[in-house]
């Protein structure tokens, strides 16, 4: 096992992820919404923190960095394009950058839409994509800075990753995303099954992330702009994928 991945609930509905490489003992964190729960998880396992990987500049993904950096002397990695609004970076990366956490290679993917400078971290050896607020479980992030065209391209780029990739997104929004998805894709049997599974997991107070990329492609309306079911529901059979995506995002904003 190249990485042990620990999901850490933070704030009201955020997730941070601790990545531990057993062979080297190195430990990394993806996003730092708040320090307390992360420190508690590290202490429980007797781990220190070597790296923090930041996906984007929003406060609920970076507020824990100063305390964690002060405590552990952590190396902070984030997007070069967003360096002016991230905590001070020790390593600035961009689309296509490769770096290593010990013996584990990480690839940086630009995923604009939610913000302009948003990046995702893809770790092939762990079959893991840390997508934060770009591709989410049954959804995508609200377009605070980017355009529908940018987010659609982000979805299309991420859809090319291997089907068995696990998608570690940044929030527990799946229940609301599922309810919305049914309004635009009501006849999707895979979606109906996923909605039931989501409810069961949340009834047990279990996270609904990570999710399989193959399942997102079958059920996430933001990855399905070309499908006939969504187009028929919206009355947009002859529209472009971008027009369909834009309409779905607008309806999600209003949901």
């Amino acid at each position: 096992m190249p990485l042990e991945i620990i999901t850490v609930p933070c704030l009201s509905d955020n997730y941070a992820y601790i990545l531990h490489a057993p062979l080297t003992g190195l430990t990394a964190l993806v996003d730092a919404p708040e320090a307390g729960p992360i420190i508690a998880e590290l202490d429980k396992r007797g781990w220190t923190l070597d790296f923090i990987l930041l996906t984007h500049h929003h406060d609920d993904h970076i507020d824990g960095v100063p305390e964690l950096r002060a405590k552990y002397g952590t190396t902070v990695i984030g997007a070069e394009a967003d360096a002016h609004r991230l905590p001070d970076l020790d390593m600035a990366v961009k689309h296509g950058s490769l770096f290593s956490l010990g013996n584990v290679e990480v690839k940086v993917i630009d995923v604009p839409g939610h913000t302009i400078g948003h990046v995702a971290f893809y770790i092939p050896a762990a079959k893991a994509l840390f997508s934060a607020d770009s591709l989410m479980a049954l959804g995508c992030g609200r377009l605070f800075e980017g355009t529908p065209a940018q987010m659609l391209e982000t979805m299309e780029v991420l859809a090319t990753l291997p089907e068995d990739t696990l998608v570690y997104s940044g929030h527990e929004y799946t229940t609301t995303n599922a309810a919305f998805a049914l309004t635009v894709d009501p006849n999707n049997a895979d979606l109906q099954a996923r909605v039931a599974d989501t409810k069961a997991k949340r009834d047990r107070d279990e996270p609904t992330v990570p999710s399989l990329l193959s399942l997102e492609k079958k059920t996430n309306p933001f990855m399905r702009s070309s499908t006939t079911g969504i187009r028929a529901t919206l009355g947009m059979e002859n529209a472009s994928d971008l027009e369909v995506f834009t309409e779905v995002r607008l309806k999600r904003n209003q949901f």
Side-chain angles (χ1 to χ4, degrees):
M1 179 174 61
L3 280 180
E4 183 177 354
I5 301 174
I6 309 298
T7 300
V8 185
C10 296
L11 303 174
S12 61
D13 55 27
N14 278 73
Y15 288 127
Y17 299 100
I18 296 173
L19 322 179
H20 181 72
L23 286 178
T24 62
L26 290 176
T27 303
L29 176 74
V30 179
D31 287 340
E34 58 176 333
I38 295 162
I39 292 170
E41 288 292 335
L42 293 168
D43 285 350
K44 184 162 68 176
R45 292 166 172 79
W47 297 342
T48 187
L49 186 61
D50 302 289
F51 303 95
I52 298 174
L53 283 54
L54 299 176
T55 60
H56 65 295
H57 71 88
H58 285 161
D59 290 347
D60 62 334
H61 292 259
I62 66 173
D63 273 358
V65 171
E67 185 175 346
L68 293 167
R69 176 183 251 154
K71 181 175 178 64
Y72 299 106
T74 306
T75 296
V76 178
I77 302 170
E80 180 179 79
D82 250 4
H84 61 290
R85 52 185 184 173
L86 290 169
D88 289 342
L89 299 177
D90 301 296
M91 182 188 301
V93 295
K94 57 187 177 181
H95 182 71
S97 291
L98 298 173
F99 62 93
S100 295
L101 305 175
N103 63 332
V104 179
E105 185 176 77
V106 182
K107 181 178 181 179
V108 179
I109 304 173
D110 273 344
V111 289
H114 180 63
T115 69
I116 296 297
H118 200 310
V119 294
F121 298 100
Y122 175 52
I123 304 179
K127 299 180 179 180
L129 172 72
F130 297 90
S131 56
D133 297 1
S134 56
L135 172 58
M136 306 181 82
L138 276 174
C140 75
R142 190 180 289 264
L143 305 182
F144 287 120
E145 298 174 10
T147 65
Q150 287 175 313
M151 187 63 99
L152 176 58
E153 184 177 3
T154 286
M155 298 295 103
E156 292 171 343
V157 167
L158 297 180
T160 66
L161 296 175
E163 296 274 296
D164 60 352
T165 299
L166 286 167
V167 180
Y168 293 83
S169 50
H171 292 270
E172 186 55 67
Y173 290 167
T174 316
T175 298
T176 305
N177 286 345
F180 168 73
L182 284 173
T183 70
V184 294
D185 203 6
N187 300 313
N188 183 336
D190 292 315
L191 174 59
Q192 293 165 6
R194 186 173 184 187
V195 169
D197 180 65
T198 295
K199 183 180 186 306
K201 285 181 177 176
R202 294 311 294 153
D203 286 347
R204 298 190 298 267
D205 199 30
E206 295 176 3
T208 60
V209 296
S211 57
L212 272 171
L213 180 59
S214 59
L215 185 59
E216 294 303 330
K217 291 166 72 170
K218 292 176 182 177
T219 59
N220 187 329
F222 295 101
M223 302 193 87
R224 294 173 54 77
S225 299
S226 63
T227 61
T228 56
I230 289 178
R231 287 167 169 264
T233 299
L234 297 177
M236 299 181 71
E237 290 89 341
N238 299 315
S240 69
D241 287 355
L242 178 57
E243 288 169 334
V244 174
F245 181 92
T246 300
E247 180 66 14
V248 172
R249 185 62 255 180
L250 178 64
K251 287 184 177 298
R252 179 65 181 91
N253 293 349
Q254 299 168 342
F255 183 73

